Amino acid sequence: MTLQGKLFCSIYRSSRRSEMYLFVARATGLEAVPKVLLEQCGKLVHVSDMILDPKRPLARAEVGKVMDEVRDKGFYLQMPPPPDEDLFLAAGHPDNPRGKRP
């Protein structure tokens, strides 16, 4: 099977930060990821292997950018989405325990 124009990658999630994912080439694994980044991620949990295809979009990242960074740097770090302001303002949110509007 040829992967012409596609990329076989592995996806890991960080144990320290919710919704933070690390994409790496399946063939090289985590070897190209800087040690300091690995330490910041905590224990990495393998989530999935997939073939990235420029014609198939990803949910939270531009597939072309992910593929380019994995090929150029050896990895792509997908950060969590920005916090939902409505959730932050909700009573009982840990950062707004009194339910007061900022």
Side-chain angles (χ1 to χ4, degrees):
M1 177 171 102
T2 179
L3 292 177
Q4 202 165 20
K6 300 175 185 176
L7 178 66
F8 191 27
C9 74
S10 293
I11 305 165
Y12 295 84
R13 74 173 167 80
S14 168
S15 64
R16 288 201 180 143
R17 190 143 186 211
S18 178
E19 298 187 59
M20 186 164 78
Y21 295 91
L22 190 63
F23 290 71
V24 296
R26 177 75 168 104
T28 56
L30 298 169
E31 68 186 40
V33 181
K35 190 170 195 138
V36 67
L37 178 57
L38 291 173
E39 290 169 359
Q40 290 174 353
C41 289
K43 182 181 179 198
L44 289 170
V45 178
H46 182 258
V47 175
S48 179
D49 293 321
M50 70 182 300
I51 297 174
L52 296 179
D53 181 338
K55 297 174 187 168
R56 292 185 56 205
L58 295 170
R60 290 194 177 157
E62 197 273 302
V63 70
K65 181 177 181 179
V66 174
M67 293 173 71
D68 289 345
E69 288 198 24
V70 170
R71 286 180 177 136
D72 295 344
K73 297 187 330 189
F75 68 94
Y76 173 81
L77 181 64
Q78 179 179 303
M79 297 299 291
D84 183 339
E85 187 175 328
D86 291 334
L87 178 62
F88 174 76
L89 295 174
H93 187 280
D95 294 329
N96 189 12
R98 294 185 188 93
K100 296 181 181 176
R101 292 200 173 271

